[in-house]
């Protein structure tokens, strides 16, 4: 054989070997999530849920015989940082799939990067309706409940328990905060509530007392808020210290009070009500087994972020198996309309906007513990498909 022929044969063999290695190697999932900063507690639940799911899937043979490898990057809950880390994961690490984004602004920004790169992103946390609405992307999916679903559940409770209530709104001043306030305000007004004012505080605010005068002047019966993480601790404790908490019913987004911050909030969390897509109190064998496994592994109960992140990898597994591989176009098609089992029950990803449909629960804190006060059917809570980009 000539030198030229030998080199050509060797090159073909190398390509074949490389292709076989790629097909036999691990499926790489990039996780861009806050490991530090205000939302670090949320990021911890995300990683705990993903790690547990990956361990269970890998122990049972992986996906089509391939193990899942999770590769983490710290987004710091900053959209600009999240974009940089996502680009690193897609280029240097060549991940097959992206998840982990918490901040809604980060999800929207990383979604644009993923679309340009031909990769898929799924959020398990972000609430903004725009993600699967007016700013929807064919490459972005959401397996957690959006703001509108949470608000529908809360509005049903308000209509039943606080008809005609006067409501004041306080949200963080970015995409998620404004979106969640707008969603609940719309739902609440539809059931007869009266809006008395709204304010938006910068993320990671240290002093909320500057807003208390406006709250007192509005004389609301109900305060709705969508702050999260450490911001919730500061807001609730300062409201209690300044006497603003007295006689006020506080409603909020599902990430406002969670197992991650409830102990730090203490008595100031008492009576808080939220609409959620998950609770450890869901009475099913699947959820009980999940809570037991999660607690045994992490020394803490799962919250909605941990549960939704756990469920995501099983959706991805089912989609890859249906697609016959990890190709973006094939997996996207398999995810659209996908139905799969989760600790919350059966979820379905609506094909039109890539939004998960699931049961919703109204959860209230009583004696320092979460209790389920109301349940609403997933189809009743989902609302219309408003995605027009694909």
């Amino acid at each position: 054989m000539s030198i030229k022929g030998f080199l050509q044969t060797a090159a073909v063999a190398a390509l074949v070997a490389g292709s076989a290695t790629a097909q036999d190697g691990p499926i790489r999932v990039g996780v861009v999530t806050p490991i530090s900063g205000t939302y670090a507690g949320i990021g911890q639940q995300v990683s705990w849920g993903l790690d547990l799911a990956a361990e269970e899937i890998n122990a049972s043979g992986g996906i089509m015989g391939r193990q899942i490898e999770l590769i983490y990057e710290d987004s710091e809950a900053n959209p600009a940082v999240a974009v940089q880390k996502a680009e690193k994961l897609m280029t240097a690490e060549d991940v097959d799939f992206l998840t982990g984004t918490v901040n809604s602004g980060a999800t929207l920004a990383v979604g644009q990067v993923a679309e340009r790169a031909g990769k898929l992103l799924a959020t398990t946390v972000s609430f903004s309706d725009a993600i699967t609405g007016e700013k929807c992307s064919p490459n972005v999916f959401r397996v957690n409940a959006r703001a509108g679903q949470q608000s529908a559940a809360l509005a049903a409770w308000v209509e039943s328990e606080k008809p005609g209530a006067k409501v004041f709104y306080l949200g963080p001043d970015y995409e998620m905060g404004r979106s969640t306030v707008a969603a609940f305000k719309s739902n609440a007004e539809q059931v007869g509530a009266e809006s008395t004012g709204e304010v938006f505080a910068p993320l990671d605010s240290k002093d909320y007392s500057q807003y208390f005068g406006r709250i007192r002047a509005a004389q609301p019966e109900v305060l709705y808020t969508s702050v999260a993480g450490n911001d919730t601790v500061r807001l609730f404790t300062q409201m209690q210290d300044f006497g603003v908490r007295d006689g006020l019913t506080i409603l909020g987004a599902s990430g406002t009070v969670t197992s991650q911050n409830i102990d730090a909030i203490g008595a100031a969390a008492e009576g808080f009500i939220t609409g959620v897509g998950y609770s450890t109190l869901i009475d099913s064998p699947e959820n009980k087994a999940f809570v037991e496994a999660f607690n045994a592994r992490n020394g803490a109960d799962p919250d909605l972020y941990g549960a939704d992140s756990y469920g995501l990898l099983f959706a991805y597994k089912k989609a890859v198996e249906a697609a016959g591989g990890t190709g973006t176009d094939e997996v996207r098609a398999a995810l659209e309309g996908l139905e799969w089992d989760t600790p919350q029950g059966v979820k379905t990803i609506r094909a039109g906007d890539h939004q998960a449909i699931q049961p919703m629960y109204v959860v209230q804190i009583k004696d320092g513990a979460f209790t389920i006060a109301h349940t609403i059917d997933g189809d009743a809570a989902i609302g219309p498909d408003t995605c027009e980009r694909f």
Side-chain angles (χ1 to χ4, degrees):
M1 179 184 293
S2 68
I3 294 295
K4 182 178 179 181
F6 175 80
L7 292 175
Q8 288 176 335
T9 302
V12 170
L15 285 172
V16 171
S19 176
T21 300
Q23 293 299 316
D24 296 336
I27 293 176
R28 297 162 69 83
V29 176
V31 187
V32 185
T33 204
I35 297 171
S36 62
T38 298
Y39 288 169
I42 297 175
Q44 185 175 62
Q45 279 278 333
V46 169
S47 64
W48 281 346
L50 291 171
D51 288 345
L52 176 60
E55 288 170 8
E56 292 181 358
I57 291 171
N58 288 340
S60 63
I63 301 177
M64 299 175 62
R66 299 172 63 188
Q67 297 284 284
I68 295 175
E69 180 183 357
L70 300 175
I71 305 172
Y72 285 90
E73 290 287 347
D74 184 5
S75 72
E76 304 171 23
N78 182 317
V81 173
V83 165
Q84 294 172 1
K85 298 299 180 65
E87 288 176 336
K88 175 184 175 183
L89 287 167
M90 287 184 287
T91 55
E93 301 292 351
D94 192 26
V95 297
D96 298 289
F97 188 68
L98 281 167
T99 188
T101 52
V102 169
N103 179 304
S104 291
T107 295
L108 289 167
V110 172
Q112 294 177 16
V113 176
E115 188 173 343
R116 290 195 298 269
K119 300 285 187 177
L120 297 179
L121 165 71
T123 182
T124 62
V125 175
S126 299
F127 295 153
S128 172
D129 286 336
I131 292 167
T132 49
E134 63 186 73
K135 297 180 181 179
C136 59
S137 165
N139 283 29
V140 176
F141 291 79
R142 173 162 44 196
V143 300
N144 60 293
R146 66 184 185 184
Q149 291 165 279
Q150 301 170 33
S151 296
L154 272 183
W157 183 90
V158 169
E159 184 178 26
S160 172
E161 305 297 327
K162 295 280 185 179
K166 294 180 178 180
V167 185
F168 192 91
Y169 305 88
L170 191 160
D173 192 11
Y174 75 104
E175 175 66 36
M176 180 278 282
R178 291 185 176 273
S179 175
T180 50
V181 165
F184 180 70
K185 185 176 182 180
S186 175
N187 279 276
E189 290 178 348
Q190 287 177 28
V191 299
E194 177 186 345
S195 298
T196 62
E198 60 186 45
V199 295
F200 294 93
L203 192 65
D204 200 25
S205 289
K206 299 297 189 292
D207 179 15
Y208 287 93
S209 65
Q210 60 186 298
Y211 307 112
F212 294 167
R214 292 184 61 180
I215 295 174
R216 286 194 175 98
Q219 298 183 322
E221 301 162 74
V222 173
L223 174 75
Y224 173 88
T225 184
S226 51
V227 298
N230 294 332
D231 285 352
T232 305
V233 179
R234 289 187 286 267
L235 173 62
F236 279 43
T237 54
Q238 288 172 23
M239 287 182 67
Q240 185 174 53
D241 291 343
F242 282 81
V244 181
R245 183 79 177 78
D246 300 341
L248 191 63
T249 298
I250 302 182
L251 311 180
S254 56
T256 297
V257 180
T258 70
S259 61
Q260 290 290 291
N261 61 13
I262 187 171
D263 289 340
I265 300 169
E270 188 67 19
F272 173 77
I273 301 164
T274 187
V276 299
Y278 176 72
S279 168
T280 56
L281 301 174
I282 295 172
D283 189 14
S284 69
E286 295 81 6
N287 187 49
K288 290 177 181 177
F290 166 64
V291 172
E292 182 178 353
F294 191 99
N295 200 301
R297 183 188 184 282
N298 304 308
D301 281 345
D303 62 16
L304 68 162
Y305 306 126
D308 286 325
S309 298
Y310 172 85
L312 169 65
L313 287 189
F314 290 93
Y316 182 63
K317 176 180 186 293
K318 189 171 183 179
V320 169
E321 290 171 345
T326 57
T328 293
D329 293 341
E330 294 78 9
V331 174
R332 182 196 299 110
L335 284 169
E336 292 176 341
L338 183 78
E339 184 177 283
W340 83 107
D341 294 323
T342 76
Q344 296 104 306
V346 176
K347 287 188 182 184
T348 303
I349 297 177
R350 189 160 61 180
D353 60 357
H354 297 173
Q355 174 62 53
I357 304 172
Q358 62 184 81
M360 295 299 297
Y361 306 90
V362 174
V363 171
Q364 185 169 19
I365 296 174
K366 293 184 177 180
D367 299 323
F370 295 98
T371 62
I372 293 179
H374 188 75
T375 303
I376 183 170
D377 179 78
D379 289 328
I382 186 66
D385 173 2
T386 59
C387 176
E388 298 179 354
R389 285 198 59 215
F390 57 92

